[in-house]
Amino acid sequence: MILTLQTPRPLSRLPRFLPFSTNASITLNQSQPATCTSPPPPYSQILSTRHSLLSRQFSAADLLRSHLHRLNLTEPHLRSFLHLPDPSDLLAQADSLDRRIAAGEDVGPLAGVLVAVKDNICTADMPSTGGSRILEGYRPPFDATAVKRAKELGAIVVGKTNLDEFGMGSTTEGSAFQVTANPWDLSRVPGGSSGGSAAAVSARQCVVSLGSDTGGSVRQPASFCGVVGLKPTYGRVSRFGLMAYASSLDTIGCFGSSVADAGILLHAIAGHDRFDATSSNQDVPNFLSHFVSASSFESKPLKGLRVGLIRETIGDGVDAGVISAIHSAASHFEELGCSVNEVSLPSFSLGLPAYYILASSESSSNLSRYDGIRYGNQVYADELDSLYGSSRANGFGSEVKMRILMGTYALSAGYYDAYYKRAQQVRTIIRNSFTEALNQNDILISPAAPSPAYKIGEKKNDPLAMYAGDIMTVNVNLAGLPALVLPCGFVEGGTAGLPIGLQMIGAAFGEEELLRVGHIFEQTLENCRFVPPIIAEDIAS
Amino acid sequence: MGGVGAMVKGASYSYAVFCGSFLRSPRLSFSIHNKKKKLLKFRSFSSKSTCSSLQPPDVSRLAKTAQISLTPDEIEEFAPKIQQVIDWFGQLQDVDLQSVEPSIRAETENNLRDNVPETFDHRDAMIGAVPSYEDPYIKVPRVLSMD
């Protein structure tokens, strides 16, 4: 069923998408839907925005109104956002920026860029619920470092996005408040846990967004929603202000409609932060230098790059359409000059139970802070233990409760060796196998998920079935490595196909290489733009 | 990597497949834990033993430890699901992990900041979030002694 939005045409002065570079030819891949005539993607909405603002082609206020218009049209169908501020607040920020530009002042690289923020990332001026009733109405007294840095560079935070409660889930159905729909097919999930952030970028309700990735929560929704998702190396981005789920695995990640946009956002937020003792002192390279126009590429721009396709990710249990899309991606890499080989990661499948042991255990500890005493919603009782018990029982959803209980079990006296310690040992094995594979290869590739987006309700009552979908992503978190997901093809489903994401995994702190390679792959992909049907009419111009 | 038993179509089979490979590894030996409760089987994969001292999860007791007051309905609903997942965790028991060092996390540098106290700027906002506050106390109900 196609949803056609019958809307009054937006005023012609409102800007549409601004193509910055064009590829001369478009050919349709075999796995593409039959009808696709839109022009090739601009390589960076952020850079286009900057160009338009500085050349006075459009004002920040105009760009904001255009996005808000689209957001208001699509939001009743998508429900990406848990909180949207008063538009006049946003307009005031845009107006202020316009005045500074008019006065010739320097403005930051994210000036006028609309950023959506996942609701488990603290924002002082907007509620931050973590998708949970226990924090309904909670206003943090500070901004997360990632948010603070984005704002300092000129970003406008357009709202807080929906998520699975505290990051626990892979569909965003675990939110205590609402279910977000996938812009490609409103009967399907956007993925999780950062489903709202992925859907918002996919439907162009904003330009880029922040999410969090503990076991794949940026990469899998990126795949399901046909956008770029970037999980940095553990320690690359400060976790200060990210509500902790599993502290040894959590990262803040970036969504964009292009590799360049995700990379520019990462560059803005990355770097050491004294408020996060696990944040790294490693320099953040200038990723931006790689986001050049495709017309400047050599004929084999990735010549010599060794690409390892992880054998365990293209076998049993993976949709045929997904495998086909990944093989096409591998061929594309070869056309660009790479050598693509299959590589086997021993013990690959052990990562999934090891991850869930570690994540449940760490979450049972991290979520003990929600006691209704210092913040959050309290259910009063005459006696302290009852107050704790009732506040937590009332405030947490089922999945969160179950994971806390599983974690409590795994960490119980006498059980630590059997579960948590063993999982940490498996973690060592997995880290070593990645290190070995990344000695032989420059990057590793795999699907981001074994299937396209599920139908809403499909995985509801079967936890193990839901966990199984994380098989492609969790090992990367266990090893702490960076990974980039970008849309590489479609399978049948919905009205215009369902997108499939390719995952590229790099060495620790190797985001620069991932972004360089990802940008080249994306810009040379002879393909349709990944624009979901819900907004196709609005964007085509 | 093959599947365990028949590959069952549908949502859950991919999990069984991914776990299948090392469950069939010939060098592994295991004993069936003598459990009082009926074992829950997940498709063709039956629960493997852990050390015989590991009791199956007692959801009521765990809830008490975790300070979450579950209703009897919730206990009944959660118990089989939790059991299923804990059983699934059990497969790590069968892996040879001798002489493998546990990793706490990915490698990170030792970044400690100076031990210098600082004033937090947004004290009022922080206090404002406290549900029950009577300056300068955070109010809590009485704490009963354990019986």
Side-chain angles (χ1 to χ4, degrees):
Chain A
M1 183 194 80
I2 299 180
L3 179 82
T4 319
L5 299 170
Q6 294 304 330
T7 70
R9 298 304 290 167
L11 298 175
S12 57
R13 69 178 171 81
L14 291 177
R16 305 309 188 93
F17 276 97
L18 310 162
F20 204 95
S21 73
T22 53
N23 279 334
S25 63
I26 308 168
T27 41
L28 291 177
N29 226 323
Q30 270 157 345
S31 56
Q32 301 314 309
T35 56
C36 178
T37 53
S38 29
Y43 73 91
S44 167
Q45 199 59 33
I46 294 179
L47 293 176
S48 307
T49 298
R50 185 173 182 75
H51 178 83
S52 309
L53 291 179
L54 295 182
S55 65
R56 317 285 196 272
Q57 207 182 346
F58 297 110
S59 68
D62 285 340
L63 288 172
L64 173 67
R65 274 188 222 107
S66 165
H67 274 96
L68 287 182
H69 177 80
R70 187 178 310 119
L71 196 158
N72 291 329
L73 283 179
T74 51
E75 189 56 9
H77 307 285
L78 297 179
R79 298 171 302 277
S80 318
F81 287 89
L82 289 177
H83 177 82
L84 288 166
D86 193 331
S88 56
D89 287 343
L90 301 178
L91 273 167
Q93 292 177 51
D95 285 337
S96 158
L97 174 63
D98 284 330
R99 281 193 293 277
R100 286 170 45 220
I101 293 175
E105 286 176 36
D106 271 339
V107 290
L110 295 182
V113 172
L114 297 185
V115 179
V117 175
K118 186 176 181 183
D119 211 24
N120 63 352
I121 298 173
C122 288
T123 47
D125 54 358
M126 296 187 203
S128 305
T129 65
S132 179
R133 294 249 177 245
I134 208 161
L135 288 181
E136 191 172 5
Y138 172 65
R139 284 196 183 246
F142 56 87
D143 277 338
T145 297
V147 170
K148 178 164 165 283
R149 288 179 179 179
K151 282 160 77 168
E152 277 167 357
L153 294 178
I156 297 176
V157 177
V158 74
K160 305 302 293 298
T161 56
N162 198 20
L163 66 157
D164 285 298
E165 192 176 352
F166 289 118
M168 300 187 204
S170 309
T171 62
T172 307
E173 294 167 301
S175 167
F177 303 108
Q178 64 205 39
V179 175
T180 300
N182 189 317
W184 290 85
D185 178 341
L186 300 178
S187 69
R188 290 180 191 262
V189 299
S193 59
S194 312
S197 284
V201 170
S202 175
R204 311 306 196 259
Q205 295 176 313
C206 60
V207 175
V208 286
S209 64
L210 291 176
S212 69
D213 190 312
T214 302
S217 293
V218 162
R219 292 164 286 149
Q220 182 250 44
S223 178
F224 281 12
C225 290
V227 296
V228 174
L230 175 56
K231 174 210 170 290
T233 310
Y234 182 87
R236 185 54 110 179
V237 178
S238 170
R239 291 183 295 114
F240 181 73
L242 170 65
M243 294 176 192
Y245 157 22
S247 307
S248 76
L249 298 162
D250 288 343
T251 59
I252 288 182
C254 307
F255 289 100
S257 57
S258 64
V259 172
D261 282 349
I264 294 171
L265 181 59
L266 177 67
H267 188 265
I269 63 175
H272 178 65
D273 177 25
R274 65 198 187 91
F275 293 132
D276 177 358
T278 60
S279 77
S280 172
N281 273 313
Q282 290 243 9
D283 281 335
V284 183
N286 178 19
F287 307 137
L288 280 69
S289 61
H290 298 293
F291 303 139
V292 295
S293 162
S295 54
S296 68
F297 294 165
E298 300 165 2
S299 67
K300 298 267 182 196
L302 292 179
K303 187 158 170 229
L305 193 81
R306 302 164 300 164
V307 174
L309 171 53
I310 303 173
R311 183 174 302 137
E312 288 81 4
T313 64
I314 47 164
D316 293 334
V318 184
D319 265 31
V322 171
I323 297 179
S324 163
I326 300 308
H327 281 309
S328 299
S331 303
H332 185 60
F333 271 119
E334 282 172 334
E335 281 161 25
L336 293 169
C338 303
S339 59
V340 181
N341 297 299
E342 272 191 15
V343 58
S344 177
L345 293 183
S347 317
F348 185 84
S349 61
L350 287 182
L352 200 57
Y355 166 80
Y356 274 100
I357 291 172
L358 293 174
S360 321
S361 302
E362 293 183 21
S363 74
S364 72
S365 175
N366 276 326
L367 269 66
S368 65
R369 70 192 65 187
Y370 300 110
D371 55 15
I373 301 294
R374 292 154 299 153
Y375 41 74
N377 293 308
Q378 183 188 101
V379 173
Y380 186 75
D382 278 337
E383 189 259 316
L384 186 62
D385 277 354
S386 303
L387 185 150
Y388 289 155
S390 302
S391 300
R392 289 158 65 79
N394 185 63
F396 289 148
S398 305
E399 182 65 25
V400 166
K401 284 175 179 163
M402 281 202 293
R403 295 212 195 176
I404 290 174
L405 295 171
M406 292 190 293
T408 305
Y409 176 76
L411 290 176
S412 305
Y415 292 32
Y416 171 87
D417 281 356
Y419 294 109
Y420 193 77
K421 183 171 169 216
R422 294 203 136 239
Q424 288 186 313
Q425 288 172 302
V426 167
R427 183 175 203 162
T428 302
I429 294 178
I430 287 174
R431 265 179 56 202
N432 292 343
S433 72
F434 269 113
T435 305
E436 169 84 24
L438 286 165
N439 281 336
Q440 322 287 335
N441 299 277
D442 296 304
I443 61 164
L444 303 174
I445 62 172
S446 79
S451 74
Y454 322 122
K455 290 276 191 186
I456 292 173
E458 191 182 314
K459 304 284 177 187
K460 257 241 136 146
N461 279 312
D462 196 346
L464 286 176
M466 196 170 69
Y467 300 169
D470 297 336
I471 185 77
M472 307 293 185
T473 46
V474 294
N475 288 357
V476 174
N477 298 85
L478 291 171
L481 298 176
L484 176 70
V485 166
L486 44 76
C488 69
F490 293 90
V491 297
E492 286 207 14
T495 54
L498 298 174
I500 296 298
L502 171 75
Q503 171 172 238
M504 297 167 36
I505 303 165
F509 300 100
E511 291 85 356
E512 184 175 18
E513 181 73 343
L514 281 180
L515 290 165
R516 179 186 79 90
V517 173
H519 174 71
I520 292 172
F521 180 99
E522 174 194 74
Q523 292 299 302
T524 52
L525 195 64
E526 288 175 348
N527 205 337
C528 304
R529 294 175 67 187
F530 287 86
V531 177
I534 192 173
I535 53 159
E537 219 180 78
D538 195 25
I539 301 298
S541 59
Chain B
M1 134 169 42
V4 176
M7 285 236 297
V8 182
K9 284 224 177 228
S12 316
Y13 79 101
S14 48
Y15 129 79
V17 167
F18 285 112
C19 299
S21 60
F22 62 96
L23 282 175
R24 299 192 306 175
S25 172
R27 61 183 165 81
L28 301 174
S29 61
F30 46 82
S31 57
I32 301 299
H33 180 62
N34 198 8
K35 296 187 183 176
K36 290 186 181 139
K37 291 205 276 197
K38 190 172 109 172
L39 274 181
L40 288 157
K41 292 189 191 272
F42 182 75
R43 297 221 154 73
S44 49
F45 149 65
S46 54
S47 163
K48 298 294 175 271
S49 109
T50 55
C51 325
S52 56
S53 58
L54 290 179
Q55 295 300 309
D58 174 347
V59 176
S60 306
R61 219 171 132 239
L62 292 173
K64 201 150 185 286
T65 306
Q67 302 274 38
I68 304 176
S69 304
L70 293 181
T71 64
D73 281 347
E74 278 178 313
I75 294 178
E76 202 183 305
E77 187 202 327
F78 293 166
K81 292 183 185 175
I82 291 175
Q83 180 71 58
Q84 201 180 53
V85 178
I86 301 289
D87 285 347
W88 178 64
F89 288 167
Q91 65 188 274
L92 292 197
Q93 306 309 318
D94 304 326
V95 183
D96 180 9
L97 292 171
Q98 266 210 340
S99 71
V100 178
E101 276 301 298
S103 296
I104 296 174
R105 66 172 92 87
E107 288 190 26
T108 45
E109 308 113 52
N110 202 9
N111 280 322
L112 300 175
R113 64 171 185 267
D114 294 333
N115 189 15
V116 173
E118 294 174 28
T119 308
F120 179 66
D121 286 331
H122 308 284
R123 195 172 177 279
D124 287 345
M126 208 164 69
I127 301 293
V130 176
S132 189
Y133 188 74
E134 224 177 77
D135 197 39
Y137 302 105
I138 296 176
K139 277 183 70 174
V140 298
R142 67 180 178 209
V143 183
L144 281 185
S145 54
M146 299 303 291
D147 47 282

